[in-house]
Amino acid sequence: MLNLDSYRSSTDYREILRILQKASSLQDNFIWQSHAIGKSIIPIHHFEIDFVTREVVIYFDTQKYMMDNDLPLYVKLDYHTSVFKVTDYRVGLDAVYFTFPALIKTMELRGTPRHSFQPNQDRAVSLKPTLTGMNRELSHELQVRVMDISEAGLGLIVSEHNRSFLKNNRILWVTRLQDIQLQYPILAEVVYINNEVDSKYQTRKQKEMKVGLKLSGTIPPDIYHKFIQ
């Protein structure tokens, strides 16, 4: 049904919750189950997030559509064409209930060409949670490795030790690319944190994670081209 080769995986709780919340207001969400003779598609009427029980409650027409409790469910959300699998669930009179998914796959939506760096190219950017007192708060500036870059975003390799920094600072400023200080820092948003890092980018010294940043500004073309050379 869907080609998952163009998808990325998200295991970060806050990112998963954000995807669920965004998708809950959209209409083109559905469930499907795979049978020996094909797939059955069940439209979702609407769904809710129960923060008390940490469950997702998906409402659908239980009189029109039957669900096989022995088969897993696959949920497709309209937000970023997100997909996840559910194996443990219960069906009620008008809804199906299951705990928050531990992993969601979302469509890679880069609208601009991406340049990937080889592990030995050693590219880095500097990030700050605030621009206030920039010269006096160098301890709050984080320098991280860059795995790939486009005009709209950055793929970073970040030490697990900095996970709390990124969770507490979802909005950051890109202040430097390699040794080039940006005259006008670029606002960026942490859009995903993923524990699955390609082994060729991993170092043996510490556990690392992949982090995606969405840029709200434009990197000056001369700096961008110099950075990717």
Side-chain angles (χ1 to χ4, degrees):
M1 178 174 291
L2 296 171
N3 179 12
L4 297 182
D5 292 340
S6 58
Y7 279 62
R8 62 174 175 82
S9 300
S10 178
T11 57
D12 179 63
Y13 171 78
R14 289 178 60 174
E15 172 64 8
I16 288 173
L17 184 58
R18 187 179 74 88
I19 292 171
L20 292 173
Q21 290 175 314
K22 291 284 189 180
S24 64
S25 62
L26 303 178
Q27 300 300 315
D28 294 329
N29 305 312
F30 62 82
I31 304 168
W32 85 86
Q33 288 188 305
S34 295
H35 304 268
I37 58 173
K39 294 182 175 68
S40 61
I41 299 174
I42 303 173
I44 294 174
H45 183 268
H46 70 282
F47 73 88
E48 299 173 353
I49 302 169
D50 189 331
F51 291 98
V52 176
T53 61
R54 287 201 168 193
E55 285 188 322
V56 178
V57 185
I58 290 181
Y59 294 88
F60 66 100
D61 189 340
T62 53
Q63 294 184 350
K64 184 177 181 180
Y65 299 97
M66 298 296 294
M67 194 172 291
D68 188 337
N69 294 339
D70 295 327
L71 294 176
L73 301 176
Y74 294 89
V75 182
K76 183 266 180 184
L77 303 177
D78 195 28
Y79 180 72
H80 285 195
T81 317
S82 304
V83 180
F84 60 92
K85 181 180 179 181
V86 181
T87 56
D88 187 12
Y89 58 90
R90 67 185 191 280
V91 180
L93 293 176
D94 56 355
V96 59
Y97 303 76
F98 52 85
T99 57
F100 289 176
L103 180 147
I104 289 183
K105 290 183 176 291
T106 55
M107 178 71 78
E108 181 63 78
L109 295 178
R110 293 175 187 265
T112 54
R114 173 176 54 176
H115 180 89
S116 297
F117 296 105
Q118 295 301 315
N120 60 357
Q121 286 188 274
D122 194 27
R123 294 294 190 273
V125 297
S126 297
L127 308 171
K128 286 180 68 71
T130 177
L131 297 181
T132 304
M134 183 177 293
N135 294 329
R136 300 191 300 273
E137 298 183 7
L138 292 179
S139 60
H140 292 136
E141 188 170 58
L142 180 66
Q143 187 177 66
V144 295
R145 287 193 295 149
V146 179
M147 186 169 65
D148 57 65
I149 185 173
S150 72
E151 293 179 0
L154 289 162
L156 309 176
I157 303 295
V158 183
S159 167
E160 177 70 30
H161 296 303
N162 292 310
R163 181 183 289 271
S164 60
F165 174 88
L166 293 172
K167 283 190 172 184
N168 294 330
N169 299 284
R170 306 293 287 196
I171 303 299
L172 295 162
W173 292 93
V174 180
T175 58
R176 182 187 297 267
L177 278 74
Q178 204 67 2
D179 59 348
I180 304 173
Q181 184 77 37
L182 294 177
Q183 183 179 1
Y184 301 103
I186 299 171
L187 192 65
E189 177 188 1
V190 178
V191 292
Y192 71 87
I193 299 175
N194 193 334
N195 295 325
E196 299 177 8
V197 178
D198 191 322
S199 58
K200 66 183 181 181
Y201 290 98
Q202 286 274 17
T203 65
R204 297 181 180 179
K205 296 179 181 179
Q206 56 192 0
K207 186 176 180 181
E208 294 172 311
M209 54 193 182
K210 181 179 178 181
V211 176
L213 291 187
K214 178 182 178 181
L215 302 179
S216 296
T218 303
I219 301 172
D222 57 331
I223 295 177
Y224 181 86
H225 291 299
K226 184 176 180 180
F227 186 70
I228 65 176
Q229 288 178 352

